[in-house]
Amino acid sequence: MSAKTLYDKLWESHVVHTEQDGGVLLYIDRQLLHEVTSPQAFSGLRAAGRKAWRIDANIATVDHNVPTTDRTAGIADATSRLQVDTLDQNCAEFGIEEFGMHDKRQGIVHVIAPEQGLTLPGMTVVCGDSHTATHGALGALAFGIGTTEVEHVLATQCLWVRKSKSMRVWVDGQLSFGVTAKDLVLAIIGRIGTAGGTGYAIEFAGPAVQALSVEGRMTLCNMAIEAGARSGMVGVDAITINYLQGRPYAPMGKVWDQAVVAWGDLHSDPEARFDAEIRMDACTVAPQVTWGTSPEMVVDISGHVPDPALEKDPVRRKGWRDALTYMGLKAATPVSAISLDKVFIGSCTNARIEDLRVAAAIARGHHRAASVKAVLVVPGSGLVKAQAEAEGLDRIFKEAGFEWREPGCSMCLAMNADRLEPEERCASTSNRNFEGRQGAGGRTHLVSPAMAAAAAIAGHFVDVRDWAVH
Amino acid sequence: MEAFTVVEAVVAPLDRPNVDTDAIIPKQFLKTIERKGLGKHLFNAWRYLEQGGQRMDNPDFVLNQAAYAGARILLARENFGCGSSREHAPWALADYGFRVVIAPSFADIFANNCVQNGILLVRLPADVVEHLFHEVAANPGYRLRVDLPAQEVQTMGDSRYAFPMDAGHKHKLLHGLDDIQLTLRQEGAIRAYEVRRRQSAPWLFRDE
């Protein structure tokens, strides 16, 4: 038997049917639904008189449109409210379990599914959301799909998929103190580019990846899509198993034991060959800050905003110029001289309990700079919020002048009321620095939670490694 | 879905790499529960200007220029459609009237979503795309003919550029097929798979 990659194993165990032209019908174990990309899928089912193929394979929550302030009065914006209400009605009609806006388990779809044990190793997981790659951290094959495909999965429990090429990003060494999974993935994107992973499924591996918690691995896989890859994944090990044991929807008793044995094979065989291999050394990774309007436009905290005149490729040069104009930055500005108007700590990339602990550790005993208008801390789920409050993190944030909010996607994409005003500059723990992403005309710099918290206090970017020393 | 065979139309150039789906259709328009009507919001942030609370066309943006009126072919740079999986992006492109996007490369999820909506993505080498940008700039009202059965882009002169195409995607576009019907022909295989999986991996089924 030839050696297989983790991706090969996940793929082969889900093939239902292969067409003569090579098209593969792949079985989907779990579909996650949210209010933005599902309404047209449910209407399509209804129009065709179709039912959901397997109700128990689906789970829904509301996250993009929900307010992060007091929710007792409901949602003020009528169009946001309609989308949320529509999901509630669709789930009731089709019999799908939903964690609604007032459920304690509600939260960002990519935070709640692993938290509940709804994402398990060996699964295929889809969602009408590109950050579905997150779930690959548990040894699953997870990828984002469009609304037509959401409808297709609801109706058939399958998808027509082409197998991607395989890429392994192998990370040697250990991340330095103050350097996190977020910095590592930004450094990887900076190296291979925002289209470097297009057409590939990326497996993250090596000592530095194995040393990460499942939450850190989720941050890594979450941003695989920012490198162009629909899927990111990490092989199963003891850290994965420990993370899952006892979660509400994880198997129990004999079935758990049986599952753990099966999951033991969910890693790439030592001799497995990949279509592409990237090697990184974690020891050389510094805290990262993006300066432009694509995640690949990223430098070390000790670096400078680059000079487009030095870029040889004309298309890239124009891209850099456009980015600097939009961002209101001058070439050669030291990153540490960039000052902030707002800070956002949250999103499916960095709103889990470990992220909030790191941010709180930086903020403890300090106060946000007078020049920083607002610091939003938005937990990834109601349960993350409850855990943080049990640990007293909310008090630390409030004493630091940060706002402690209700869970949701919030200012990662500003579909609810949380947004940047034109030309406001934000340090954000989210995943996209695209033009207008956090609000029309808003300027986003992607960083880790530690870097975001430190920037909130200093008023400009600082090297969190120095912070940790003093 | 509208079947695709040959489109001959005016070409609109969008000279930026990494055009993301947030730029194609910003989040404030994702709150719709319909598929239709997004064309007027296509490229919203670049296409319109806000002045004194008034919204007006940005005369510098390509789609607001008379030379590109009625364009059904969009010429773009590499990694077009990156970012979010929102199918609102191809819905907006199609609703505006685009049937073809030509670029050196496209993001994966966007490419899948286009096939579902009858939009043909044509991958041409970067130097050919560069040449076409020059041609469009030099010839107002520049048109191309895109022939899916032949997998060729044809100029009004005599140049022809072959493009690669996934056989399954080609078939689907040519016939405007609905995938669900096609898939349900495999109902027996799906049921048989589920029976096997319930045996070997019962934890995947919450109703077990």
mmCIF file of all heavy atoms in Angstrom, chain A residues 280-305:
data_model
loop_
_atom_site.group_PDB
_atom_site.id
_atom_site.type_symbol
_atom_site.label_atom_id
_atom_site.label_comp_id
_atom_site.label_asym_id
_atom_site.label_seq_id
_atom_site.Cartn_x
_atom_site.Cartn_y
_atom_site.Cartn_z
ATOM 1 N N MET A 280 9.507 26.142 6.942
ATOM 2 C CA MET A 280 9.700 27.398 7.681
ATOM 3 C C MET A 280 10.425 27.055 8.975
ATOM 4 O O MET A 280 10.343 25.931 9.455
ATOM 5 C CB MET A 280 8.348 28.002 8.076
ATOM 6 C CG MET A 280 7.400 28.308 6.947
ATOM 7 S SD MET A 280 7.596 29.962 6.289
ATOM 8 C CE MET A 280 7.104 30.991 7.674
ATOM 9 N N ASP A 281 11.083 28.057 9.548
ATOM 10 C CA ASP A 281 11.675 27.882 10.862
ATOM 11 C C ASP A 281 10.952 28.825 11.829
ATOM 12 O O ASP A 281 11.032 30.053 11.668
ATOM 13 C CB ASP A 281 13.171 28.202 10.806
ATOM 14 C CG ASP A 281 13.846 27.973 12.153
ATOM 15 O OD1 ASP A 281 13.120 27.706 13.153
ATOM 16 O OD2 ASP A 281 15.078 28.057 12.213
ATOM 17 N N ALA A 282 10.265 28.249 12.800
ATOM 18 C CA ALA A 282 9.452 29.062 13.724
ATOM 19 C C ALA A 282 10.311 30.061 14.494
ATOM 20 O O ALA A 282 9.840 31.149 14.847
ATOM 21 C CB ALA A 282 8.713 28.149 14.700
ATOM 22 N N CYS A 283 11.571 29.692 14.737
ATOM 23 C CA CYS A 283 12.439 30.554 15.544
ATOM 24 C C CYS A 283 12.657 31.916 14.888
ATOM 25 O O CYS A 283 12.953 32.893 15.563
ATOM 26 C CB CYS A 283 13.794 29.886 15.774
ATOM 27 S SG CYS A 283 13.632 28.205 16.363
ATOM 28 N N THR A 284 12.522 31.964 13.547
ATOM 29 C CA THR A 284 12.796 33.224 12.847
ATOM 30 C C THR A 284 11.551 34.091 12.708
ATOM 31 O O THR A 284 11.613 35.179 12.140
ATOM 32 C CB THR A 284 13.337 32.950 11.429
ATOM 33 O OG1 THR A 284 12.310 32.272 10.679
ATOM 34 C CG2 THR A 284 14.578 32.066 11.464
ATOM 35 N N VAL A 285 10.395 33.593 13.189
ATOM 36 C CA VAL A 285 9.156 34.355 13.019
ATOM 37 C C VAL A 285 9.024 35.401 14.134
ATOM 38 O O VAL A 285 9.099 35.072 15.316
ATOM 39 C CB VAL A 285 7.929 33.422 13.010
ATOM 40 C CG1 VAL A 285 6.632 34.230 12.920
ATOM 41 C CG2 VAL A 285 8.019 32.431 11.858
ATOM 42 N N ALA A 286 8.831 36.652 13.726
ATOM 43 C CA ALA A 286 8.617 37.758 14.669
ATOM 44 C C ALA A 286 7.130 38.125 14.650
ATOM 45 O O ALA A 286 6.407 37.707 13.757
ATOM 46 C CB ALA A 286 9.456 38.957 14.232
ATOM 47 N N PRO A 287 6.668 38.905 15.620
ATOM 48 C CA PRO A 287 5.288 39.400 15.529
ATOM 49 C C PRO A 287 5.071 40.119 14.200
ATOM 50 O O PRO A 287 5.930 40.882 13.750
ATOM 51 C CB PRO A 287 5.183 40.361 16.715
ATOM 52 C CG PRO A 287 6.170 39.847 17.703
ATOM 53 C CD PRO A 287 7.326 39.332 16.876
ATOM 54 N N GLN A 288 3.917 39.866 13.573
ATOM 55 C CA GLN A 288 3.635 40.368 12.228
ATOM 56 C C GLN A 288 2.578 41.473 12.261
ATOM 57 O O GLN A 288 1.659 41.441 13.094
ATOM 58 C CB GLN A 288 3.109 39.220 11.356
ATOM 59 C CG GLN A 288 4.038 38.026 11.258
ATOM 60 C CD GLN A 288 5.235 38.302 10.364
ATOM 61 O OE1 GLN A 288 5.087 38.582 9.187
ATOM 62 N NE2 GLN A 288 6.427 38.249 10.950
ATOM 63 N N VAL A 289 2.691 42.394 11.314
ATOM 64 C CA VAL A 289 1.696 43.454 11.144
ATOM 65 C C VAL A 289 1.477 43.631 9.643
ATOM 66 O O VAL A 289 2.439 43.785 8.895
ATOM 67 C CB VAL A 289 2.186 44.799 11.739
ATOM 68 C CG1 VAL A 289 1.118 45.885 11.555
ATOM 69 C CG2 VAL A 289 2.549 44.663 13.214
ATOM 70 N N THR A 290 0.208 43.610 9.199
ATOM 71 C CA THR A 290 -0.022 43.883 7.774
ATOM 72 C C THR A 290 -0.072 45.396 7.561
ATOM 73 O O THR A 290 -0.530 46.146 8.421
ATOM 74 C CB THR A 290 -1.334 43.267 7.251
ATOM 75 O OG1 THR A 290 -2.454 43.886 7.890
ATOM 76 C CG2 THR A 290 -1.371 41.768 7.478
ATOM 77 N N TRP A 291 0.419 45.827 6.407
ATOM 78 C CA TRP A 291 0.466 47.275 6.100
ATOM 79 C C TRP A 291 -0.461 47.640 4.948
ATOM 80 O O TRP A 291 -0.693 48.823 4.693
ATOM 81 C CB TRP A 291 1.897 47.696 5.737
ATOM 82 C CG TRP A 291 2.489 46.865 4.621
ATOM 83 C CD1 TRP A 291 3.260 45.744 4.764
ATOM 84 C CD2 TRP A 291 2.321 47.064 3.210
ATOM 85 N NE1 TRP A 291 3.581 45.229 3.524
ATOM 86 C CE2 TRP A 291 3.026 46.024 2.553
ATOM 87 C CE3 TRP A 291 1.656 48.012 2.440
ATOM 88 C CZ2 TRP A 291 3.060 45.902 1.165
ATOM 89 C CZ3 TRP A 291 1.696 47.892 1.057
ATOM 90 C CH2 TRP A 291 2.393 46.841 0.427
ATOM 91 N N GLY A 292 -0.995 46.634 4.229
ATOM 92 C CA GLY A 292 -1.727 46.923 2.994
ATOM 93 C C GLY A 292 -3.137 46.388 2.996
ATOM 94 O O GLY A 292 -3.768 46.240 4.049
ATOM 95 N N THR A 293 -3.637 46.073 1.814
ATOM 96 C CA THR A 293 -5.037 45.665 1.657
ATOM 97 C C THR A 293 -5.172 44.220 1.196
ATOM 98 O O THR A 293 -6.195 43.819 0.661
ATOM 99 C CB THR A 293 -5.743 46.598 0.658
ATOM 100 O OG1 THR A 293 -4.975 46.624 -0.551
ATOM 101 C CG2 THR A 293 -5.853 47.999 1.208
ATOM 102 N N SER A 294 -4.112 43.450 1.389
ATOM 103 C CA SER A 294 -4.146 42.015 1.154
ATOM 104 C C SER A 294 -3.310 41.392 2.279
ATOM 105 O O SER A 294 -2.306 41.977 2.695
ATOM 106 C CB SER A 294 -3.521 41.704 -0.212
ATOM 107 O OG SER A 294 -3.243 40.327 -0.304
ATOM 108 N N PRO A 295 -3.709 40.228 2.792
ATOM 109 C CA PRO A 295 -2.962 39.649 3.918
ATOM 110 C C PRO A 295 -1.488 39.363 3.600
ATOM 111 O O PRO A 295 -0.673 39.253 4.508
ATOM 112 C CB PRO A 295 -3.721 38.353 4.222
ATOM 113 C CG PRO A 295 -5.099 38.595 3.703
ATOM 114 C CD PRO A 295 -4.925 39.468 2.490
ATOM 115 N N GLU A 296 -1.155 39.265 2.302
ATOM 116 C CA GLU A 296 0.248 39.015 1.959
ATOM 117 C C GLU A 296 1.109 40.264 2.141
ATOM 118 O O GLU A 296 2.329 40.191 2.131
ATOM 119 C CB GLU A 296 0.362 38.525 0.508
ATOM 120 C CG GLU A 296 0.072 39.598 -0.520
ATOM 121 C CD GLU A 296 0.119 39.098 -1.961
ATOM 122 O OE1 GLU A 296 0.049 37.887 -2.192
ATOM 123 O OE2 GLU A 296 0.219 39.961 -2.856
ATOM 124 N N MET A 297 0.474 41.418 2.311
ATOM 125 C CA MET A 297 1.207 42.674 2.505
ATOM 126 C C MET A 297 1.500 42.801 3.995
ATOM 127 O O MET A 297 0.804 43.501 4.740
ATOM 128 C CB MET A 297 0.373 43.849 1.997
ATOM 129 C CG MET A 297 0.109 43.788 0.504
ATOM 130 S SD MET A 297 -1.038 45.082 -0.012
ATOM 131 C CE MET A 297 -1.009 44.869 -1.790
ATOM 132 N N VAL A 298 2.544 42.105 4.420
ATOM 133 C CA VAL A 298 2.799 41.939 5.851
ATOM 134 C C VAL A 298 4.302 42.056 6.118
ATOM 135 O O VAL A 298 5.111 41.675 5.271
ATOM 136 C CB VAL A 298 2.227 40.577 6.333
ATOM 137 C CG1 VAL A 298 2.945 39.395 5.687
ATOM 138 C CG2 VAL A 298 2.229 40.453 7.840
ATOM 139 N N VAL A 299 4.658 42.636 7.268
ATOM 140 C CA VAL A 299 6.069 42.731 7.666
ATOM 141 C C VAL A 299 6.219 42.441 9.156
ATOM 142 O O VAL A 299 5.237 42.446 9.901
ATOM 143 C CB VAL A 299 6.665 44.138 7.397
ATOM 144 C CG1 VAL A 299 6.892 44.368 5.921
ATOM 145 C CG2 VAL A 299 5.802 45.234 7.993
ATOM 146 N N ASP A 300 7.447 42.245 9.580
ATOM 147 C CA ASP A 300 7.754 42.108 11.004
ATOM 148 C C ASP A 300 7.474 43.447 11.702
ATOM 149 O O ASP A 300 7.576 44.498 11.093
ATOM 150 C CB ASP A 300 9.250 41.810 11.203
ATOM 151 C CG ASP A 300 9.630 40.428 10.717
ATOM 152 O OD1 ASP A 300 8.752 39.707 10.205
ATOM 153 O OD2 ASP A 300 10.822 40.086 10.844
ATOM 154 N N ILE A 301 7.223 43.373 12.998
ATOM 155 C CA ILE A 301 6.998 44.583 13.779
ATOM 156 C C ILE A 301 8.201 45.528 13.706
ATOM 157 O O ILE A 301 8.051 46.751 13.773
ATOM 158 C CB ILE A 301 6.647 44.229 15.251
ATOM 159 C CG1 ILE A 301 6.514 45.469 16.137
ATOM 160 C CG2 ILE A 301 7.649 43.263 15.860
ATOM 161 C CD1 ILE A 301 5.406 46.403 15.757
ATOM 162 N N SER A 302 9.389 44.979 13.526
ATOM 163 C CA SER A 302 10.583 45.826 13.434
ATOM 164 C C SER A 302 10.757 46.424 12.036
ATOM 165 O O SER A 302 11.678 47.197 11.796
ATOM 166 C CB SER A 302 11.823 44.999 13.780
ATOM 167 O OG SER A 302 11.899 43.911 12.872
ATOM 168 N N GLY A 303 9.847 46.080 11.109
ATOM 169 C CA GLY A 303 10.016 46.485 9.716
ATOM 170 C C GLY A 303 9.414 47.843 9.391
ATOM 171 O O GLY A 303 8.983 48.598 10.267
ATOM 172 N N HIS A 304 9.422 48.144 8.089
ATOM 173 C CA HIS A 304 8.924 49.414 7.573
ATOM 174 C C HIS A 304 7.878 49.153 6.491
ATOM 175 O O HIS A 304 7.891 48.104 5.865
ATOM 176 C CB HIS A 304 10.065 50.222 6.955
ATOM 177 C CG HIS A 304 11.121 50.607 7.934
ATOM 178 N ND1 HIS A 304 12.024 49.696 8.454
ATOM 179 C CD2 HIS A 304 11.410 51.798 8.504
ATOM 180 C CE1 HIS A 304 12.809 50.309 9.306
ATOM 181 N NE2 HIS A 304 12.470 51.588 9.357
ATOM 182 N N VAL A 305 7.038 50.134 6.255
ATOM 183 C CA VAL A 305 6.125 50.085 5.118
ATOM 184 C C VAL A 305 6.991 50.087 3.851
ATOM 185 O O VAL A 305 7.861 50.949 3.710
ATOM 186 C CB VAL A 305 5.179 51.304 5.136
ATOM 187 C CG1 VAL A 305 4.322 51.329 3.877
ATOM 188 C CG2 VAL A 305 4.320 51.291 6.393
#
